[in-house]
Amino acid sequence: MLLAPHTTFAMAPTQFLNIIIYMGHHESIFCSKIMQGFKLRESKILRKILSKNSSEKNQETTSLNQASENSTRQFYHQTKKILVGSWNIGGIAPPQNLNIEDWLHTQNDSADIYVLGFQEIVPLNATNVLGPQNKKISMKWNSLIGETLNNKRPMKVVEENKKAEHQKIYPLKERIYEEVENVDDFQCIISKQMGGVFITIWARCDLYQSIKHLNVSSVGCGVMGCLANKGSISIRFFLQETSFCFICSHLASGWKEEDKRQRNINAADILSQTSFPAGPLHDMPQKIIDHDRVVWLGDLNYRIDMPYSATQLLIKRKEWKTLLKHDQLKMELKEGHVFEGWHEGDVEFPPTYKYLPNSDDYIGCVDEDMSKKRRSPAWCDRIIWFGKGMNQIQYNRSESKLSDHRPVQAMFTANIKVAATNCK
């Protein structure tokens, strides 16, 4: 169909639009001539179509340019150490003198990135679940973590009266804490709280500029399948050219068979409902398992499939390997129903739950325990990972008695893809 540049005649708008759509975005110049002939330069519908075609063409060109650039770029690989920790603190605020160096392994070689997740950072009551977020406690934890990672805890005590008797004990108010001034080695890159779940990520300051595309996705799995008394917070970012995703979660509790099924449902919901932006070029992973390196941490609440009396007997005998054969999460990982392709390192530490307050004794295992609830100890607190490119070099627990859970931590080495900026 050929039209003279200045031809004018009557035509239905729908017929005209069909002509434009048929010709497509490759005929934008010819479309402009037709606009002049029909005197429809101000048509909103037509401008929208042409604008969309132009946008799609520009996006296609950008994508092609990006693909061409990636094909000519050169890369090399680095190895970074990542420490992942999880702790259910039972709604207890951190005391001022709490020492978490053992949990963060700061006395040994430090990691490059720290990913720390908490459960029950506040008591799981109606006010904290349904009301506004209480961030005072999470701020206290972040302050403590920052002080520990940057070695800014009080280093020595200088007493005011240097000539005092050697055995004299001074009250705290008469002591001056001298702090060594130094530049921070670690910086918090992101923190997020949802109900009782809290995750905070810290990185070496020299890596800060290499971290990009930080995004958060939260999923509630609690009461009515949506409230935040249970659920997950997932954080993803790119370190250089490698994508990471960390899931901090608190799954359904309970010992019954239906409780185990509910935990699996929680995990499946988190995997299906967690979603991240695809980015302007639609080239970034959106689902959890689409990322290059994935770690899931938290109070997963999986228990031991054994009668109460048999479990208690094995606990008293410290026969951990026998108990692990009946661990629900180990069986789920093996069977691959929900966690197909996920991995966990060897569990060589005692169950992390449930302890008597401020004690090394499990509930139900001592005569003084008069609890009405029959709760057998279990490895509720776990760290698992998905995909290749990560190697777990340490998996252990710490011995803080702050709550009825013991914190766990895992050290990973992760392979990182880096663009060689000096290569042409």
Side-chain angles (χ1 to χ4, degrees), residues 358-370:
N358 196 31
S359 170
D360 287 324
D361 296 319
Y362 290 107
I363 192 169
C365 293
V366 292
D367 296 335
E368 292 80 5
D369 175 25
M370 302 300 293

Side-chain angles (χ1 to χ4, degrees), residues 369-389:
D369 175 25
M370 302 300 293
S371 174
K372 295 181 180 179
K373 293 185 178 180
R374 297 174 53 156
R375 294 179 175 176
S376 293
W379 286 273
C380 291
D381 310 276
R382 311 291 276 270
I383 299 171
I384 60 177
W385 76 95
F386 181 86
K388 300 179 180 179

Side-chain angles (χ1 to χ4, degrees), residues 410-424:
M411 184 76 80
F412 294 92
T413 56
N415 194 15
I416 308 297
K417 186 178 179 181
V418 183
T421 55
N422 294 329
C423 297
K424 296 183 178 180

Side-chain angles (χ1 to χ4, degrees), residues 154-164 170-180:
M155 297 300 295
K156 64 179 181 178
V157 176
V158 181
E159 299 186 351
E160 290 182 331
N161 189 354
K162 299 291 185 180
K163 297 180 180 180
Y170 289 89
L172 289 176
K173 65 180 180 181
E174 294 184 7
R175 293 184 175 183
I176 301 173
Y177 285 86
E178 186 179 85
E179 189 174 86
V180 177

Side-chain angles (χ1 to χ4, degrees), residues 132-150:
Q133 295 285 352
N134 180 358
K135 296 184 179 180
K136 293 182 180 179
I137 304 300
S138 60
M139 290 174 65
K140 285 185 178 181
W141 279 105
N142 256 359
S143 178
L144 175 60
I145 292 165
E147 290 173 351
T148 304
L149 292 179
N150 293 309

Side-chain angles (χ1 to χ4, degrees), residues 201-217:
I201 301 180
W202 295 69
R204 286 192 180 278
C205 291
D206 58 354
L207 291 179
Y208 192 80
Q209 298 299 325
S210 302
I211 295 173
K212 53 192 176 182
H213 305 307
L214 272 163
N215 296 106
V216 179
S217 180

